[in-house]
Amino acid sequence: MSRGLFDLAERTALVTGAGQGLGLAIARALAAQGAHVLVSDRMPADCERTADALRAEGHTATAIAADLALPAQIEALIAAAGGIDVLICNAGIQGPAGPLTAAGDADWQQVLDINLRSAARLCTGLLPGMARRGGGSVILMSSIAGLRGNRSLGLYGLSKAALAQLARNLAVEWGPQRVRVNAVSPGLIRTPLAEELLQDASFMARRLQATPLRRVGEPEEVAGVVVMLASAAGAFVTGHNLVVDGGTTVSDGA
């Protein structure tokens, strides 16, 4: 049956951080639209588990483990991926909690290397081949933490704001070669990364009051947006940072 505007048949998509949470949901959604998914995560066992689950559902998937904190492993991932049509840079870390003044040089290095530099390295290595194949789509996973001030996750927010700017820059650079680059900024989504917040009753009361839809987002709701940007449905969208937060960032909290 034709998938129409969202059809990704005969496309190859690389998803980093695909072992759980958003990455897993994105990998599953891309596969459901016919893409051959290259599943990447730091732990080989997580990669294999995700790839096995996709194959069990009748999809095609290949596991390629890589620690994106290590440039040599990023280069190995680029070589193993070969020619791709869709790149989803989802892997990242939260980094230290607390004010920016408490973050040390090692904290800055780690958060920016994993959250930002790894995405830039992957784009540098993979976008030329994508252009040679006739074009493609890149989605960088940003966050609403990069859209407003944050007193406890400042480094994370800085790295995510930079990813949105990276998407804009690359969209301008690569648009003439039919490569689209966008960012997606989720709000609070029900993932393992958010589990501590989801269990904090006072935080949740404040957050839901500030969210017009009055609920937490689900991973599949972010994955659907990624599929749109990866497919023909998003063919005239580039350089955009698409916010998926139930309205949190536009609300007055009333």
Side-chain angles (χ1 to χ4, degrees), residues 79-212:
I84 65 170
D85 307 288
V86 178
L87 170 62
I88 315 295
C89 293
N90 170 72
I93 61 171
Q94 177 178 291
L100 280 171
T101 51
D105 287 346
D107 297 322
W108 281 82
Q109 186 81 44
Q110 182 185 44
V111 173
L112 293 179
D113 275 355
I114 295 175
N115 291 4
L116 176 62
R117 287 297 304 280
S118 71
R121 289 179 188 274
L122 285 169
C123 289
T124 297
L126 292 168
L127 266 61
M130 193 179 288
R132 287 192 297 272
R133 287 164 67 90
S137 177
V138 179
I139 297 101
L140 309 179
M141 297 305 298
S142 184
S143 168
I144 64 169
L147 296 173
R148 56 188 188 176
N150 193 310
R151 72 184 68 189
S152 60
L153 292 175
L155 280 181
Y156 178 80
L158 282 169
S159 69
K160 293 299 184 176
L163 280 172
Q165 182 60 34
L166 178 62
R168 288 185 284 267
N169 288 350
L170 293 177
V172 172
E173 292 179 18
W174 289 91
Q177 297 181 70
R178 298 198 296 179
V179 175
R180 297 181 296 105
V181 187
N182 291 285
V184 172
S185 286
L188 183 61
I189 307 297
R190 196 182 308 279
T191 66
L193 183 65
E195 189 60 36
E196 185 175 342
L197 293 176
L198 295 174
Q199 298 302 320
D200 185 333
S202 61
F203 168 83
M204 289 302 297
R206 296 191 304 273
R207 173 53 68 90
L208 296 183
Q209 180 62 35
T211 301

Side-chain angles (χ1 to χ4, degrees), residues 12-16 18 36-40 60-64 77 80-84:
T12 298
L14 170 61
V15 183
T16 67
H36 172 213
V37 181
L38 306 180
V39 175
S40 187
T60 60
T62 303
I64 311 175
L77 174 58
I84 65 170

Side-chain angles (χ1 to χ4, degrees), residues 191-250:
T191 66
L193 183 65
E195 189 60 36
E196 185 175 342
L197 293 176
L198 295 174
Q199 298 302 320
D200 185 333
S202 61
F203 168 83
M204 289 302 297
R206 296 191 304 273
R207 173 53 68 90
L208 296 183
Q209 180 62 35
T211 301
L213 291 185
R214 297 293 193 268
R215 66 177 179 85
V216 174
E218 301 298 333
E220 294 75 18
E221 293 170 322
V222 178
V225 169
V226 171
V227 168
M228 183 273 290
L229 290 173
S231 67
F236 203 51
V237 181
T238 195
H240 184 59
N241 182 14
L242 204 162
V243 178
V244 188
D245 71 345
T248 302
T249 53
V250 300

